[in-house]
Amino acid sequence: MAARRRFNTESGMATRWRRRRMCVLVCERPFPASLRDVSANGAFLETNARPDIGGRVELLHPDAGQIAAAVRAHGLDGIELSFDGSAPAAAFALTAIVTDMSRAGPMDL
């Protein structure tokens, strides 16, 4: 049975000053995903994809590159991923956060 969680959309990294970058989640096929929250230990993606919990996936970010992950949980509007917490995972998370904060978007005009 799949674990389902209700994620608080008001907390985490997605604040008014951080745009949610479009990414690609690669599991059985590529799926569009929006990165809501990210750290060296994992991420929450808004996506319609529902790969198996415990399954291995890859996340492609347009600026941070790619990272291997495991599916930790399914939420109502996306999935939670687990990273290994290594230095490359921390670099991926920091790059994603910094680029999301520094790019001008339609809301900044």
Side-chain angles (χ1 to χ4, degrees):
M1 181 172 183
R4 291 230 178 243
R5 296 184 185 176
R6 184 170 183 86
F7 295 96
N8 182 353
T9 58
E10 298 303 317
S11 65
M13 292 302 304
T15 64
R16 287 179 293 218
W17 46 263
R18 182 174 178 271
R19 288 165 290 287
R20 295 180 187 165
R21 291 299 303 251
M22 289 305 297
C23 299
V24 176
L25 176 68
V26 180
C27 38
E28 65 269 8
R29 66 178 179 84
F31 287 90
S34 179
L35 187 60
R36 181 189 296 171
D37 189 19
V38 64
S39 75
N41 295 317
F44 184 84
L45 301 176
E46 294 176 355
T47 182
N48 290 329
R50 294 296 183 272
D52 292 338
I53 292 176
R56 301 295 299 170
V57 298
E58 188 171 279
L59 178 61
L60 308 174
H61 186 279
D63 296 304
Q66 62 188 41
I67 189 166
V71 179
R72 186 181 310 159
H74 294 166
L76 297 175
D77 56 350
I79 62 172
E80 185 178 352
L81 300 179
S82 177
F83 303 148
D84 63 9
S86 65
F92 177 91
L94 287 172
T95 302
I97 292 166
V98 169
T99 59
D100 290 359
M101 291 171 53
S102 61
R103 294 206 179 229
M107 299 179 101
D108 297 333
L109 301 177

